Amino acid sequence: MSKPNTQDNQIMDELLANPFNEQNNEETTQINETTIQQLIDTLSEEDQAQARSLASQIDPTNHKAIISYGTQAQTKLLSFSNSMLDHVQNKEIGEVGQVINELMSKFNEMNPDDLSPEKQNVFKRLFGKLSNSIQETLSRYQKTGAQIDKISLKLEQSKNVLLSDITMLDQLYEHNKEYFKGLNVYIAAGELKMEEIQKKEIPALRKAAETTNDQMKYQEVNDMIQFADRLEKRLYDLKLSRQITVQSAPQIRLIQNTNQVLVEKIQSSILTAIPLWKNQIAIALTMFRQHHAVEAQKQVSKTTNDLLLKNAEMLKTNTIETAKLNEQGFVDIETVKKTQENLVSTLEEVLKIQDDGRRKRLEAEKEISTMENQLKQKLLEVKDQA
């Protein structure tokens, strides 16, 4: 994302406003970098003019100034890097990958195949009552659907944070470009001054010292050599800082690219995966209910058919039994015959008993008569003896 030229100029003005940073003596961390020769030739005309202007301001007699030369740009880079770190640390966002994995886990928990008739038969064998397993399955789907909605909100929040970070990284990238540009101006100015010192000022001072044989002039030569050495070391530090900006550019873009991939993944989850899952579940539930409606209708039809068959069978049996009963007499002939046999047998038994009784009575009468005669005889005998 490009910034307006006015802002670029403002940043450059801030970076170059205080080249020696006379009020800040803080030194920056050193990082290795290869030396770039004739950097001035690679700059734009505007930057070349600024570099030459800075070079003319470098005063070898100001020992304090060279220590802080270019620290303005280094400090700005450090400040913005710290602000970026604070921005990232203050974001209340969890691991996006963890949220996405949680979403996929919820997807895997609920399989539309669980609602198939085969699975329901398994439920029936395991739990005994199909209705309980159905309610449990539907309850699980409803609970998981609510959890997925909550995860969707988390993903939306994560996406917004990532988009905010992408915008912030765009700003950092543009600032990084300006820091790189500003450091190049500082380095180019220092190189110009180094060239001037080595090719003009040191030889001129050495010639003056040799001509006058003045010991103080030799000291001035040594001071200039020492200044050149310190300037060279300061340029090395600035080149290390510039290398940080060189390395930061692809790093920023890589982070942005990763954020963009995550945003696309989240977008796909929110707009594609979740609605697709819900649609499939809705279809599965609808087909599930249709299946059980059909099964219920089959059961009604089967019950009706069984009832009709049973009623028809009962009607047949009752009709046949009634017809048979209607064709029979009031008393069955076999019953009459059996009754007749029993009656004849009874009469025969009665007659036999009567005959036996008559015979026994006659015998008893005879015995009684005999006993009477015997008694009379005995009485007569008793009378005669008297």
Side-chain angles (χ1 to χ4, degrees), residues 271-326:
L271 299 181
T272 304
I274 293 177
L276 179 60
W277 184 86
K278 288 185 176 181
N279 287 342
Q280 292 302 313
I281 294 303
I283 292 172
L285 289 173
T286 301
M287 296 177 65
F288 175 74
R289 291 190 178 95
Q290 288 178 348
H291 171 75
H292 282 278
V294 171
E295 289 299 318
Q297 186 59 43
K298 287 182 180 179
Q299 189 65 33
V300 171
S301 299
K302 182 177 182 301
T303 303
T304 303
N305 291 333
D306 290 344
L307 181 60
L308 290 174
L309 289 174
K310 289 180 180 180
N311 289 341
E313 186 69 26
M314 186 179 297
L315 177 61
K316 175 182 176 181
T317 300
N318 291 343
T319 302
I320 292 173
E321 292 298 328
T322 302
K324 289 180 179 180
L325 183 61
N326 188 48

Short mmCIF file of all heavy atoms in Angstrom, two decimals, residues 271-326:
data_model
loop_
_atom_site.label_atom_id
_atom_site.label_comp_id
_atom_site.label_asym_id
_atom_site.label_seq_id
_atom_site.Cartn_x
_atom_site.Cartn_y
_atom_site.Cartn_z
N LEU A 271 -17.83 -18.85 5.17
CA LEU A 271 -18.76 -18.69 4.05
C LEU A 271 -19.02 -19.98 3.28
O LEU A 271 -20.00 -20.06 2.54
CB LEU A 271 -18.23 -17.63 3.08
CG LEU A 271 -18.04 -16.22 3.67
CD1 LEU A 271 -17.54 -15.27 2.61
CD2 LEU A 271 -19.35 -15.71 4.26
N THR A 272 -18.16 -20.98 3.44
CA THR A 272 -18.31 -22.20 2.64
C THR A 272 -18.48 -23.43 3.52
O THR A 272 -19.50 -24.13 3.43
CB THR A 272 -17.10 -22.38 1.71
OG1 THR A 272 -16.94 -21.24 0.89
CG2 THR A 272 -17.29 -23.60 0.83
N ALA A 273 -17.48 -23.71 4.34
CA ALA A 273 -17.49 -24.97 5.09
C ALA A 273 -18.66 -25.06 6.06
O ALA A 273 -19.38 -26.07 6.09
CB ALA A 273 -16.16 -25.14 5.84
N ILE A 274 -18.85 -24.01 6.87
CA ILE A 274 -19.92 -24.06 7.87
C ILE A 274 -21.31 -24.12 7.22
O ILE A 274 -22.12 -24.97 7.60
CB ILE A 274 -19.79 -22.87 8.84
CG1 ILE A 274 -18.51 -23.01 9.68
CG2 ILE A 274 -21.01 -22.77 9.75
CD1 ILE A 274 -18.24 -21.85 10.61
N PRO A 275 -21.62 -23.23 6.23
CA PRO A 275 -22.94 -23.36 5.59
C PRO A 275 -23.12 -24.71 4.90
O PRO A 275 -24.22 -25.29 4.95
CB PRO A 275 -22.93 -22.22 4.57
CG PRO A 275 -21.97 -21.22 5.12
CD PRO A 275 -20.90 -22.03 5.78
N LEU A 276 -22.05 -25.23 4.27
CA LEU A 276 -22.16 -26.53 3.61
C LEU A 276 -22.46 -27.62 4.63
O LEU A 276 -23.32 -28.48 4.40
CB LEU A 276 -20.86 -26.84 2.87
CG LEU A 276 -20.81 -28.20 2.14
CD1 LEU A 276 -21.91 -28.26 1.08
CD2 LEU A 276 -19.44 -28.42 1.51
N TRP A 277 -21.76 -27.57 5.76
CA TRP A 277 -22.00 -28.56 6.81
C TRP A 277 -23.43 -28.48 7.31
O TRP A 277 -24.12 -29.49 7.47
CB TRP A 277 -21.02 -28.34 7.95
CG TRP A 277 -21.12 -29.36 9.04
CD1 TRP A 277 -20.50 -30.58 9.11
CD2 TRP A 277 -21.92 -29.28 10.23
NE1 TRP A 277 -20.85 -31.24 10.26
CE2 TRP A 277 -21.72 -30.47 10.98
CE3 TRP A 277 -22.77 -28.32 10.75
CZ2 TRP A 277 -22.34 -30.71 12.18
CZ3 TRP A 277 -23.40 -28.56 11.95
CH2 TRP A 277 -23.18 -29.73 12.66
N LYS A 278 -23.90 -27.25 7.56
CA LYS A 278 -25.26 -27.07 8.05
C LYS A 278 -26.28 -27.55 7.02
O LYS A 278 -27.29 -28.17 7.37
CB LYS A 278 -25.51 -25.60 8.40
CG LYS A 278 -24.78 -25.14 9.66
CD LYS A 278 -25.15 -23.72 10.03
CE LYS A 278 -24.51 -23.30 11.34
NZ LYS A 278 -24.89 -21.92 11.73
N ASN A 279 -26.04 -27.26 5.73
CA ASN A 279 -26.96 -27.72 4.68
C ASN A 279 -27.02 -29.24 4.64
O ASN A 279 -28.10 -29.83 4.53
CB ASN A 279 -26.52 -27.17 3.32
CG ASN A 279 -26.79 -25.68 3.18
OD1 ASN A 279 -27.59 -25.13 3.93
ND2 ASN A 279 -26.13 -25.03 2.26
N GLN A 280 -25.85 -29.87 4.72
CA GLN A 280 -25.82 -31.33 4.68
C GLN A 280 -26.53 -31.92 5.89
O GLN A 280 -27.24 -32.93 5.78
CB GLN A 280 -24.36 -31.81 4.61
CG GLN A 280 -23.66 -31.48 3.30
CD GLN A 280 -24.38 -32.07 2.10
OE1 GLN A 280 -24.75 -33.26 2.10
NE2 GLN A 280 -24.61 -31.26 1.09
N ILE A 281 -26.32 -31.31 7.04
CA ILE A 281 -26.99 -31.80 8.25
C ILE A 281 -28.50 -31.60 8.13
O ILE A 281 -29.29 -32.47 8.50
CB ILE A 281 -26.45 -31.08 9.50
CG1 ILE A 281 -24.98 -31.46 9.72
CG2 ILE A 281 -27.27 -31.43 10.71
CD1 ILE A 281 -24.74 -32.95 9.86
N ALA A 282 -28.91 -30.44 7.59
CA ALA A 282 -30.35 -30.18 7.41
C ALA A 282 -30.96 -31.21 6.47
O ALA A 282 -32.05 -31.74 6.71
CB ALA A 282 -30.56 -28.77 6.87
N ILE A 283 -30.24 -31.50 5.38
CA ILE A 283 -30.72 -32.50 4.43
C ILE A 283 -30.79 -33.88 5.10
O ILE A 283 -31.78 -34.62 4.95
CB ILE A 283 -29.80 -32.56 3.20
CG1 ILE A 283 -29.94 -31.25 2.40
CG2 ILE A 283 -30.14 -33.75 2.31
CD1 ILE A 283 -28.94 -31.12 1.26
N ALA A 284 -29.74 -34.21 5.86
CA ALA A 284 -29.71 -35.50 6.53
C ALA A 284 -30.86 -35.63 7.54
O ALA A 284 -31.52 -36.67 7.62
CB ALA A 284 -28.36 -35.69 7.23
N LEU A 285 -31.10 -34.56 8.30
CA LEU A 285 -32.19 -34.59 9.27
C LEU A 285 -33.55 -34.71 8.58
O LEU A 285 -34.44 -35.42 9.04
CB LEU A 285 -32.15 -33.34 10.14
CG LEU A 285 -31.00 -33.26 11.15
CD1 LEU A 285 -30.98 -31.89 11.82
CD2 LEU A 285 -31.12 -34.36 12.20
N THR A 286 -33.71 -33.98 7.47
CA THR A 286 -34.97 -34.06 6.72
C THR A 286 -35.20 -35.47 6.20
O THR A 286 -36.30 -36.03 6.33
CB THR A 286 -34.94 -33.06 5.55
OG1 THR A 286 -34.76 -31.74 6.06
CG2 THR A 286 -36.25 -33.12 4.78
N MET A 287 -34.16 -36.05 5.60
CA MET A 287 -34.29 -37.42 5.10
C MET A 287 -34.51 -38.40 6.24
O MET A 287 -35.23 -39.39 6.10
CB MET A 287 -33.03 -37.79 4.31
CG MET A 287 -32.84 -36.95 3.04
SD MET A 287 -31.31 -37.35 2.17
CE MET A 287 -31.65 -39.04 1.67
N PHE A 288 -33.88 -38.10 7.38
CA PHE A 288 -34.06 -38.93 8.57
C PHE A 288 -35.52 -38.94 9.00
O PHE A 288 -36.11 -39.99 9.26
CB PHE A 288 -33.15 -38.39 9.68
CG PHE A 288 -33.31 -39.06 11.01
CD1 PHE A 288 -32.82 -40.32 11.23
CD2 PHE A 288 -33.97 -38.41 12.05
CE1 PHE A 288 -32.95 -40.94 12.46
CE2 PHE A 288 -34.10 -39.02 13.27
CZ PHE A 288 -33.59 -40.29 13.48
N ARG A 289 -36.12 -37.74 9.05
CA ARG A 289 -37.54 -37.65 9.44
C ARG A 289 -38.43 -38.31 8.38
O ARG A 289 -39.42 -38.97 8.70
CB ARG A 289 -37.91 -36.18 9.63
CG ARG A 289 -37.26 -35.54 10.87
CD ARG A 289 -37.85 -34.17 11.15
NE ARG A 289 -37.29 -33.57 12.36
CZ ARG A 289 -36.28 -32.72 12.37
NH1 ARG A 289 -35.73 -32.36 11.22
NH2 ARG A 289 -35.82 -32.21 13.49
N GLN A 290 -38.09 -38.09 7.09
CA GLN A 290 -38.86 -38.73 6.03
C GLN A 290 -38.82 -40.24 6.16
O GLN A 290 -39.85 -40.92 6.00
CB GLN A 290 -38.32 -38.30 4.67
CG GLN A 290 -38.62 -36.86 4.29
CD GLN A 290 -38.02 -36.50 2.95
OE1 GLN A 290 -37.19 -37.23 2.40
NE2 GLN A 290 -38.43 -35.35 2.42
N HIS A 291 -37.64 -40.76 6.45
CA HIS A 291 -37.50 -42.21 6.59
C HIS A 291 -38.40 -42.74 7.70
O HIS A 291 -39.10 -43.75 7.53
CB HIS A 291 -36.03 -42.54 6.87
CG HIS A 291 -35.81 -43.97 7.24
ND1 HIS A 291 -35.85 -45.00 6.31
CD2 HIS A 291 -35.57 -44.56 8.45
CE1 HIS A 291 -35.64 -46.16 6.93
NE2 HIS A 291 -35.45 -45.91 8.22
N HIS A 292 -38.38 -42.03 8.83
CA HIS A 292 -39.21 -42.50 9.95
C HIS A 292 -40.69 -42.29 9.70
O HIS A 292 -41.51 -43.04 10.19
CB HIS A 292 -38.76 -41.82 11.24
CG HIS A 292 -37.51 -42.41 11.80
ND1 HIS A 292 -37.51 -43.55 12.57
CD2 HIS A 292 -36.21 -42.04 11.67
CE1 HIS A 292 -36.27 -43.84 12.92
NE2 HIS A 292 -35.46 -42.95 12.38
N ALA A 293 -41.04 -41.27 8.91
CA ALA A 293 -42.44 -41.09 8.52
C ALA A 293 -42.90 -42.26 7.63
O ALA A 293 -44.01 -42.79 7.79
CB ALA A 293 -42.63 -39.76 7.80
N VAL A 294 -42.03 -42.63 6.70
CA VAL A 294 -42.35 -43.77 5.83
C VAL A 294 -42.46 -45.05 6.64
O VAL A 294 -43.37 -45.87 6.43
CB VAL A 294 -41.26 -43.90 4.73
CG1 VAL A 294 -41.46 -45.20 3.95
CG2 VAL A 294 -41.32 -42.72 3.78
N GLU A 295 -41.50 -45.22 7.58
CA GLU A 295 -41.55 -46.41 8.42
C GLU A 295 -42.83 -46.43 9.26
O GLU A 295 -43.45 -47.49 9.45
CB GLU A 295 -40.33 -46.45 9.34
CG GLU A 295 -39.01 -46.74 8.63
CD GLU A 295 -39.03 -48.09 7.96
OE1 GLU A 295 -39.54 -49.05 8.58
OE2 GLU A 295 -38.54 -48.20 6.82
N ALA A 296 -43.23 -45.27 9.77
CA ALA A 296 -44.48 -45.20 10.55
C ALA A 296 -45.68 -45.55 9.68
O ALA A 296 -46.59 -46.28 10.12
CB ALA A 296 -44.63 -43.81 11.15
N GLN A 297 -45.69 -45.03 8.44
CA GLN A 297 -46.79 -45.34 7.54
C GLN A 297 -46.82 -46.83 7.20
O GLN A 297 -47.89 -47.45 7.12
CB GLN A 297 -46.65 -44.51 6.25
CG GLN A 297 -47.82 -44.66 5.29
CD GLN A 297 -49.13 -44.23 5.94
OE1 GLN A 297 -49.19 -43.22 6.62
NE2 GLN A 297 -50.19 -45.02 5.74
N LYS A 298 -45.62 -47.41 7.01
CA LYS A 298 -45.55 -48.85 6.76
C LYS A 298 -46.12 -49.63 7.94
O LYS A 298 -46.84 -50.62 7.76
CB LYS A 298 -44.11 -49.27 6.52
CG LYS A 298 -43.54 -48.85 5.17
CD LYS A 298 -42.12 -49.37 5.02
CE LYS A 298 -41.52 -48.97 3.68
NZ LYS A 298 -40.11 -49.45 3.54
N GLN A 299 -45.78 -49.16 9.14
CA GLN A 299 -46.26 -49.84 10.34
C GLN A 299 -47.79 -49.75 10.45
O GLN A 299 -48.45 -50.73 10.81
CB GLN A 299 -45.60 -49.23 11.58
CG GLN A 299 -45.85 -50.00 12.86
CD GLN A 299 -45.24 -51.38 12.82
OE1 GLN A 299 -44.20 -51.58 12.22
NE2 GLN A 299 -45.90 -52.35 13.45
N VAL A 300 -48.34 -48.57 10.11
CA VAL A 300 -49.80 -48.41 10.13
C VAL A 300 -50.45 -49.35 9.11
O VAL A 300 -51.45 -50.02 9.40
CB VAL A 300 -50.16 -46.94 9.83
CG1 VAL A 300 -51.67 -46.81 9.62
CG2 VAL A 300 -49.72 -46.04 10.98
N SER A 301 -49.87 -49.39 7.91
CA SER A 301 -50.42 -50.26 6.87
C SER A 301 -50.34 -51.72 7.29
O SER A 301 -51.29 -52.50 7.10
CB SER A 301 -49.66 -50.05 5.55
OG SER A 301 -49.80 -48.72 5.11
N LYS A 302 -49.20 -52.10 7.86
CA LYS A 302 -49.03 -53.49 8.29
C LYS A 302 -50.03 -53.83 9.38
O LYS A 302 -50.65 -54.91 9.37
CB LYS A 302 -47.60 -53.69 8.79
CG LYS A 302 -47.28 -55.12 9.21
CD LYS A 302 -45.84 -55.24 9.63
CE LYS A 302 -45.50 -56.67 10.02
NZ LYS A 302 -46.32 -57.19 11.12
N THR A 303 -50.18 -52.91 10.35
CA THR A 303 -51.15 -53.16 11.43
C THR A 303 -52.56 -53.29 10.89
O THR A 303 -53.34 -54.17 11.30
CB THR A 303 -51.08 -52.02 12.46
OG1 THR A 303 -49.74 -51.91 12.95
CG2 THR A 303 -52.03 -52.27 13.60
N THR A 304 -52.92 -52.41 9.95
CA THR A 304 -54.25 -52.46 9.34
C THR A 304 -54.48 -53.77 8.60
O THR A 304 -55.53 -54.41 8.73
CB THR A 304 -54.43 -51.28 8.38
OG1 THR A 304 -54.22 -50.05 9.09
CG2 THR A 304 -55.82 -51.28 7.77
N ASN A 305 -53.47 -54.17 7.82
CA ASN A 305 -53.59 -55.44 7.08
C ASN A 305 -53.70 -56.63 8.02
O ASN A 305 -54.52 -57.54 7.80
CB ASN A 305 -52.39 -55.63 6.15
CG ASN A 305 -52.38 -54.64 5.01
OD1 ASN A 305 -53.43 -54.16 4.59
ND2 ASN A 305 -51.20 -54.32 4.50
N ASP A 306 -52.87 -56.60 9.08
CA ASP A 306 -52.95 -57.70 10.05
C ASP A 306 -54.33 -57.75 10.71
O ASP A 306 -54.90 -58.84 10.92
CB ASP A 306 -51.87 -57.53 11.12
CG ASP A 306 -50.48 -57.76 10.57
OD1 ASP A 306 -50.36 -58.34 9.48
OD2 ASP A 306 -49.50 -57.33 11.24
N LEU A 307 -54.88 -56.58 11.03
CA LEU A 307 -56.20 -56.53 11.66
C LEU A 307 -57.28 -57.06 10.73
O LEU A 307 -58.17 -57.83 11.13
CB LEU A 307 -56.52 -55.09 12.08
CG LEU A 307 -57.85 -54.87 12.78
CD1 LEU A 307 -57.91 -55.69 14.07
CD2 LEU A 307 -58.06 -53.40 13.08
N LEU A 308 -57.21 -56.66 9.44
CA LEU A 308 -58.18 -57.15 8.47
C LEU A 308 -58.09 -58.66 8.31
O LEU A 308 -59.12 -59.36 8.23
CB LEU A 308 -57.96 -56.46 7.12
CG LEU A 308 -58.31 -54.96 7.07
CD1 LEU A 308 -57.91 -54.37 5.73
CD2 LEU A 308 -59.81 -54.76 7.32
N LEU A 309 -56.88 -59.18 8.25
CA LEU A 309 -56.70 -60.62 8.10
C LEU A 309 -57.24 -61.37 9.32
O LEU A 309 -57.90 -62.41 9.19
CB LEU A 309 -55.22 -60.95 7.90
CG LEU A 309 -54.62 -60.52 6.54
CD1 LEU A 309 -53.12 -60.77 6.53
CD2 LEU A 309 -55.28 -61.28 5.39
N LYS A 310 -56.93 -60.83 10.50
CA LYS A 310 -57.42 -61.49 11.72
C LYS A 310 -58.93 -61.46 11.79
O LYS A 310 -59.58 -62.44 12.18
CB LYS A 310 -56.82 -60.81 12.94
CG LYS A 310 -55.33 -61.10 13.11
CD LYS A 310 -54.78 -60.40 14.34
CE LYS A 310 -53.29 -60.69 14.51
NZ LYS A 310 -52.72 -60.01 15.69
N ASN A 311 -59.52 -60.31 11.46
CA ASN A 311 -60.99 -60.22 11.47
C ASN A 311 -61.62 -61.16 10.45
O ASN A 311 -62.65 -61.80 10.72
CB ASN A 311 -61.42 -58.79 11.18
CG ASN A 311 -61.12 -57.85 12.34
OD1 ASN A 311 -60.93 -58.31 13.46
ND2 ASN A 311 -61.08 -56.56 12.07
N ALA A 312 -61.00 -61.25 9.26
CA ALA A 312 -61.54 -62.16 8.25
C ALA A 312 -61.45 -63.61 8.70
O ALA A 312 -62.37 -64.41 8.51
CB ALA A 312 -60.77 -61.96 6.93
N GLU A 313 -60.33 -63.95 9.34
CA GLU A 313 -60.17 -65.31 9.84
C GLU A 313 -61.19 -65.62 10.93
O GLU A 313 -61.80 -66.71 10.97
CB GLU A 313 -58.74 -65.47 10.37
CG GLU A 313 -58.38 -66.89 10.81
CD GLU A 313 -58.28 -67.82 9.62
OE1 GLU A 313 -58.01 -67.35 8.49
OE2 GLU A 313 -58.48 -69.04 9.82
N MET A 314 -61.39 -64.65 11.82
CA MET A 314 -62.37 -64.83 12.90
C MET A 314 -63.78 -64.96 12.33
O MET A 314 -64.58 -65.79 12.80
CB MET A 314 -62.28 -63.66 13.87
CG MET A 314 -63.16 -63.81 15.11
SD MET A 314 -63.00 -62.42 16.23
CE MET A 314 -61.26 -62.57 16.67
N LEU A 315 -64.09 -64.14 11.32
CA LEU A 315 -65.42 -64.21 10.70
C LEU A 315 -65.64 -65.57 10.05
O LEU A 315 -66.72 -66.17 10.17
CB LEU A 315 -65.54 -63.10 9.65
CG LEU A 315 -66.86 -63.06 8.86
CD1 LEU A 315 -68.06 -62.85 9.79
CD2 LEU A 315 -66.82 -61.98 7.79
N LYS A 316 -64.61 -66.08 9.41
CA LYS A 316 -64.71 -67.39 8.77
C LYS A 316 -64.98 -68.47 9.82
O LYS A 316 -65.87 -69.33 9.64
CB LYS A 316 -63.41 -67.67 8.02
CG LYS A 316 -63.36 -69.07 7.41
CD LYS A 316 -62.02 -69.29 6.73
CE LYS A 316 -61.92 -70.72 6.20
NZ LYS A 316 -60.61 -70.98 5.56
N THR A 317 -64.21 -68.42 10.89
CA THR A 317 -64.35 -69.44 11.94
C THR A 317 -65.74 -69.39 12.58
O THR A 317 -66.41 -70.43 12.76
CB THR A 317 -63.27 -69.22 13.01
OG1 THR A 317 -61.97 -69.31 12.42
CG2 THR A 317 -63.39 -70.29 14.11
N ASN A 318 -66.17 -68.18 12.92
CA ASN A 318 -67.49 -68.04 13.55
C ASN A 318 -68.60 -68.49 12.62
O ASN A 318 -69.59 -69.12 13.05
CB ASN A 318 -67.71 -66.59 13.96
CG ASN A 318 -66.80 -66.18 15.10
OD1 ASN A 318 -66.25 -67.03 15.79
ND2 ASN A 318 -66.67 -64.86 15.32
N THR A 319 -68.49 -68.15 11.36
CA THR A 319 -69.53 -68.53 10.39
C THR A 319 -69.63 -70.04 10.25
O THR A 319 -70.73 -70.63 10.26
CB THR A 319 -69.24 -67.90 9.02
OG1 THR A 319 -69.17 -66.49 9.16
CG2 THR A 319 -70.32 -68.27 8.01
N ILE A 320 -68.47 -70.69 10.16
CA ILE A 320 -68.46 -72.15 10.01
C ILE A 320 -69.02 -72.82 11.26
O ILE A 320 -69.84 -73.75 11.18
CB ILE A 320 -67.03 -72.64 9.71
CG1 ILE A 320 -66.60 -72.16 8.33
CG2 ILE A 320 -66.95 -74.16 9.80
CD1 ILE A 320 -65.14 -72.46 8.00
N GLU A 321 -68.61 -72.38 12.41
CA GLU A 321 -69.09 -72.98 13.66
C GLU A 321 -70.59 -72.79 13.82
O GLU A 321 -71.30 -73.68 14.28
CB GLU A 321 -68.35 -72.34 14.84
CG GLU A 321 -66.88 -72.69 14.92
CD GLU A 321 -66.65 -74.18 15.11
OE1 GLU A 321 -67.49 -74.84 15.76
OE2 GLU A 321 -65.64 -74.69 14.60
N THR A 322 -71.07 -71.59 13.44
CA THR A 322 -72.52 -71.32 13.55
C THR A 322 -73.30 -72.22 12.61
O THR A 322 -74.37 -72.75 12.96
CB THR A 322 -72.80 -69.85 13.22
OG1 THR A 322 -72.05 -69.02 14.13
CG2 THR A 322 -74.28 -69.53 13.33
N ALA A 323 -72.77 -72.39 11.39
CA ALA A 323 -73.45 -73.27 10.42
C ALA A 323 -73.50 -74.71 10.93
O ALA A 323 -74.53 -75.40 10.81
CB ALA A 323 -72.74 -73.19 9.07
N LYS A 324 -72.40 -75.17 11.47
CA LYS A 324 -72.38 -76.52 12.01
C LYS A 324 -73.39 -76.66 13.14
O LYS A 324 -74.14 -77.66 13.23
CB LYS A 324 -70.99 -76.86 12.53
CG LYS A 324 -69.96 -77.07 11.43
CD LYS A 324 -68.60 -77.41 12.05
CE LYS A 324 -67.56 -77.66 10.97
NZ LYS A 324 -66.24 -77.98 11.57
N LEU A 325 -73.42 -75.70 14.02
CA LEU A 325 -74.33 -75.75 15.15
C LEU A 325 -75.78 -75.71 14.70
O LEU A 325 -76.66 -76.38 15.26
CB LEU A 325 -74.05 -74.58 16.10
CG LEU A 325 -74.87 -74.52 17.39
CD1 LEU A 325 -74.61 -75.77 18.23
CD2 LEU A 325 -74.55 -73.27 18.16
N ASN A 326 -76.01 -74.93 13.64
CA ASN A 326 -77.37 -74.81 13.12
C ASN A 326 -77.87 -76.11 12.52
O ASN A 326 -79.07 -76.40 12.57
CB ASN A 326 -77.42 -73.69 12.08
CG ASN A 326 -78.83 -73.39 11.63
OD1 ASN A 326 -79.74 -73.23 12.45
ND2 ASN A 326 -79.03 -73.33 10.33
#
